[in-house]
Amino acid sequence: MKTRRMGMMTALLLTAALFLILPGLMRTLLARQSGRVDASLRPPRLRTVTAWVMNGQMDDGRLMASACAAFEKQNPGVRIFLRNVTAEELYAEEAVLPDVLLFEPGMVAAPEKALLPLADTSAPSGMHAGVCYAVPLWLAPHVLAVPQNWMQAEALPTPVPGSLLGAAPPVLQEEPRRWTAEDLPWPQIAASLHRPQGVALQQLLSMCPRAVRGALAQCEEGEARVLTLREYLKTEDMCGVVMTPAVSDRVRMGALCRQSGEGAAFLRFLQSGMAQAALEYGLICPGQTAEAADAWTREAAALFSSAFTLPNAFEHTREELNQLCLQGFLRLDDPVMTLLRLR
């Protein structure tokens, strides 16, 4: 009797299991007969975003690769394809435009022919004829650097407290002095300056004492240099000051060329999701805040976190921008007025 009951229970359990797995087996069988794979078994559909990159002064290739990898990780099934192009390729009649265009100021002369209007109107640097076509993504701040032997080397002792009560007295560590524009040897800079191009000339005029500006405008070659923040952080024998006001013409702009949900999402990601990663490459996302490891990058990030000025991306070619800045520099024009002409 007991054996019979066990047999009946086993039969009932097997029947219930069969009813549970039968629908799945039937779906798989039908899918195989029709030559299709069940939707639940298919991998995510691959969606692609094409992004064209127009390079000039920006050294941001590694940051861009990092951004693509981060976006793909957040969006399974999406792949970003980057391609370096020229302005001629962008305006070629047979060109198949990308989803996203990444360029620098002065590279795109007629945005209405290749770019789509954006809803974001908060970026005057991306406006043309009252329409916003592009947004700034990140920029390279400038640093005025001079040889260390031009400065009086001083160190500020900083106590490092012990971690336990009764520990040994604090040890004084030497920290390099942070210099300001007022500390710089301007007469020496005016006599030995490697003249930069673009808006860095207006920053020099703004920082330099008026009594030295005339000599500064006459110098073309020398040891004092304007470097990008990333270039300066690689030096070992220079003292530097982050240049003011908050302006840069080394800017990566982003725009859309085609209506694409993934393309628009990628552009939004570049605009709002790269502030922390950019700092690792000496680049700043304007209007955003992030915590940097070194003092110079923190200073530059704070400078561009609120009020800043960027040249308009479409109104002047790179050559025209450089020429306007040089003329204003040689004439000792008010740097504020020159910068306003570039907006």
Side-chain angles (χ1 to χ4, degrees):
M1 187 70 178
K2 188 174 181 180
T3 303
R4 183 186 238 176
R5 284 183 181 176
M6 290 295 294
M8 292 179 64
M9 290 295 294
T10 302
L12 289 172
L13 289 173
L14 290 174
T15 303
L18 183 61
F19 275 112
L20 287 174
I21 66 173
L22 185 59
L25 291 173
M26 291 301 296
R27 282 199 305 270
T28 303
L29 181 60
L30 291 174
R32 287 180 178 176
Q33 290 179 347
S34 62
R36 299 178 180 178
V37 178
D38 187 87
S40 62
L41 302 177
R42 294 174 187 164
R45 183 175 63 88
L46 183 64
R47 293 159 291 161
T48 61
V49 175
T50 57
W52 285 5
V53 183
M54 301 174 70
N55 284 317
Q57 300 183 102
M58 294 298 292
D59 181 17
D60 59 353
R62 293 178 62 187
L63 175 61
M64 219 172 291
S66 174
C68 292
F71 184 78
E72 290 174 351
K73 185 176 181 179
Q74 290 187 13
N75 299 269
V78 176
R79 292 292 178 269
I80 309 295
F81 291 95
L82 295 177
R83 180 189 168 203
N84 294 324
V85 299
T86 62
E88 289 74 18
E89 292 178 87
L90 179 66
Y91 290 112
E93 293 184 4
E94 68 279 6
V96 178
L97 295 178
D99 299 297
V100 177
L101 179 68
L102 304 171
F103 63 102
E104 300 175 29
M107 291 184 167
V108 178
E112 69 278 4
K113 294 183 179 180
L115 308 181
L116 298 179
L118 301 177
D120 188 346
T121 58
S122 62
S125 59
M127 302 286 288
H128 177 73
V131 179
C132 182
Y133 289 100
V135 291
L137 304 178
W138 49 77
L139 57 84
H142 294 138
V143 175
L144 178 56
V146 300
Q148 284 182 352
N149 57 15
W150 288 16
M151 311 293 288
Q152 292 183 356
E154 297 181 18
L156 301 178
T158 303
V160 180
S163 59
L164 298 174
L165 291 176
V171 178
L172 295 182
Q173 289 187 344
E174 300 294 323
E175 286 189 355
R177 176 175 173 176
R178 293 296 312 286
W179 304 101
T180 66
E182 290 74 21
D183 298 318
L184 293 174
W186 285 105
Q188 198 167 356
I189 293 173
S192 183
L193 171 71
H194 184 84
R195 182 186 292 170
Q197 293 185 327
V199 300
L201 291 171
Q202 307 312 308
Q203 291 176 304
L204 280 169
L205 282 183
S206 179
M207 296 170 64
C208 179
R210 289 185 178 276
V212 189
R213 287 182 180 180
L216 185 72
Q218 302 305 314
C219 190
E220 297 185 33
E221 294 292 339
E223 296 181 79
R225 292 178 174 270
V226 172
L227 306 175
T228 64
L229 177 61
R230 184 176 184 181
E231 291 170 339
Y232 173 69
L233 292 176
K234 294 179 180 179
T235 65
E236 297 180 353
D237 57 350
M238 305 286 278
C239 292
V241 173
V242 176
M243 298 182 70
T244 58
V247 60
S248 178
D249 50 11
R250 299 171 183 265
V251 187
R252 177 63 68 188
M253 305 291 296
L256 296 176
C257 295
R258 294 192 302 187
Q259 293 287 359
S260 163
E262 285 80 14
F266 182 52
L267 182 60
R268 288 194 299 271
F269 177 79
L270 294 178
Q271 187 182 8
S272 60
M274 296 303 297
Q276 192 64 49
L279 295 181
E280 299 177 13
Y281 301 95
L283 300 169
I284 306 296
C285 294
Q288 302 181 45
T289 57
E291 186 60 32
D294 64 273
W296 285 272
T297 306
R298 284 197 299 271
E299 182 179 343
L303 183 66
F304 284 92
S305 64
S306 54
F308 55 89
T309 301
L310 303 179
N312 188 278
F314 308 114
E315 298 305 314
H316 305 282
T317 65
R318 184 72 215 187
E319 292 73 18
E320 292 171 347
L321 185 149
N322 287 341
Q323 190 62 27
L324 283 170
C325 289
L326 179 60
Q327 291 174 355
F329 180 73
L330 295 177
R331 293 196 302 254
L332 303 182
D333 292 344
D334 183 350
V336 174
M337 299 306 297
T338 303
L339 291 175
L340 288 176
R341 292 177 61 190
L342 301 177
R343 295 187 62 180

